[in-house]
Amino acid sequence: MDKLLNAADAALRTLFAKPVAAEASPARGVAQQALSVPDRALSGALMRVNHVGEVCAQALYTAQASVTSDPVLRRELLEAAREETDHLAWTQERLDALGARPSLLNPLWYAGAFAIGFVAAKVSDRVSLGFVVETERQVASHLQGHLGRLPADDHASRAVVSRMQADEERHANHALAAGAVPLPAPARLAMRAAAKVMTTTAHYL
């Protein structure tokens, strides 16, 4: 029951409360030039997609932490979720600065990610960690793509995305070192397909 209540609390905080970062955003203090209307719209859309990714990260780590019986792994998952809260707050700050809004479908994204993380964790801790590795690697690749698409003058968003990419790669490496098993190719392909649907939709909605 405690785990269920904690999971519900995490969902409500992620979806409806203003996230509070433990560490200041990498965008703080970055000189920012005025953006044209099209560039501002593009940055807003890309940061909305990144914000959705952080909503999903909260769901995934919360689900996995609620299932595992390993107290050490649970602490590590919750610590990763705490770092992802920083990302959530940073992307929200950029959305606000750009005059953009979060995805209207965030509750749907959260529910889907929670379900996937729950099922992966039910299989085994090693599979759960393998899911972390593949997820974080795909996110890091996705963020690298955004660095190539963000307007050159949006230095603040670039600073945030660069830091997030480094953190996601570190999360993947930690999960690998903790005993993650590689996911089968069909699972990896299905994850990429689901991510494509999510990112394409969130760009607009």
Side-chain angles (χ1 to χ4, degrees):
M1 180 60 70
D2 285 345
K3 290 181 179 180
L4 179 62
L5 291 175
N6 288 337
D9 178 66
L12 291 173
R13 284 187 287 105
T14 299
L15 294 171
F16 302 111
K18 182 177 181 179
V20 178
E23 183 178 341
S25 170
R28 298 281 179 89
V30 174
Q32 180 66 44
Q33 294 177 296
L35 299 176
S36 67
V37 172
D39 281 353
R40 179 180 287 269
L42 175 59
S43 286
L46 294 177
M47 294 310 292
R48 176 165 49 251
V49 172
N50 293 331
H51 183 267
V52 167
E54 299 311 321
V55 167
C56 291
Q58 291 296 315
L60 287 169
Y61 282 123
T62 298
Q64 291 168 309
S66 71
V67 171
T68 182
S69 59
D70 184 337
V72 174
L73 177 57
R74 185 170 189 273
R75 284 196 300 271
E76 291 177 351
L77 290 167
L78 292 177
E79 175 59 21
R82 186 202 62 75
E83 290 190 358
E84 300 288 1
T85 299
D86 285 356
H87 297 176
L88 187 67
W90 298 344
T91 53
Q92 181 64 63
E93 287 178 14
R94 288 307 301 150
L95 286 175
D96 293 343
L98 293 163
R101 55 163 176 74
S103 172
L104 300 174
L105 301 178
N106 273 344
L108 175 63
W109 306 135
Y110 189 99
F114 189 95
I116 293 170
F118 187 89
V119 170
K122 277 292 188 181
V123 176
S124 73
D125 284 342
R126 295 187 69 197
V127 169
S128 181
L129 288 167
F131 190 80
V132 170
V133 171
E134 183 62 26
T135 297
E136 298 291 26
R137 284 177 173 172
Q138 289 190 22
V139 170
S141 176
H142 159 83
L143 292 172
Q144 181 61 43
H146 275 198
L147 287 173
R149 296 181 62 194
L150 280 166
D153 290 337
D154 191 356
H155 305 295
S157 294
R158 287 179 167 277
V160 169
V161 171
S162 293
R163 171 60 187 278
M164 287 167 56
Q165 182 186 26
D167 288 346
E168 309 303 6
E169 290 173 347
R170 178 165 48 81
H171 291 164
N173 290 335
H174 282 178
L176 191 61
V181 294
L183 298 185
R188 296 197 303 273
L189 291 173
M191 289 171 64
R192 291 193 184 99
K196 182 65 174 178
V197 171
M198 182 194 73
T199 55
T200 301
T201 304
H203 189 92
Y204 303 101
L205 298 175

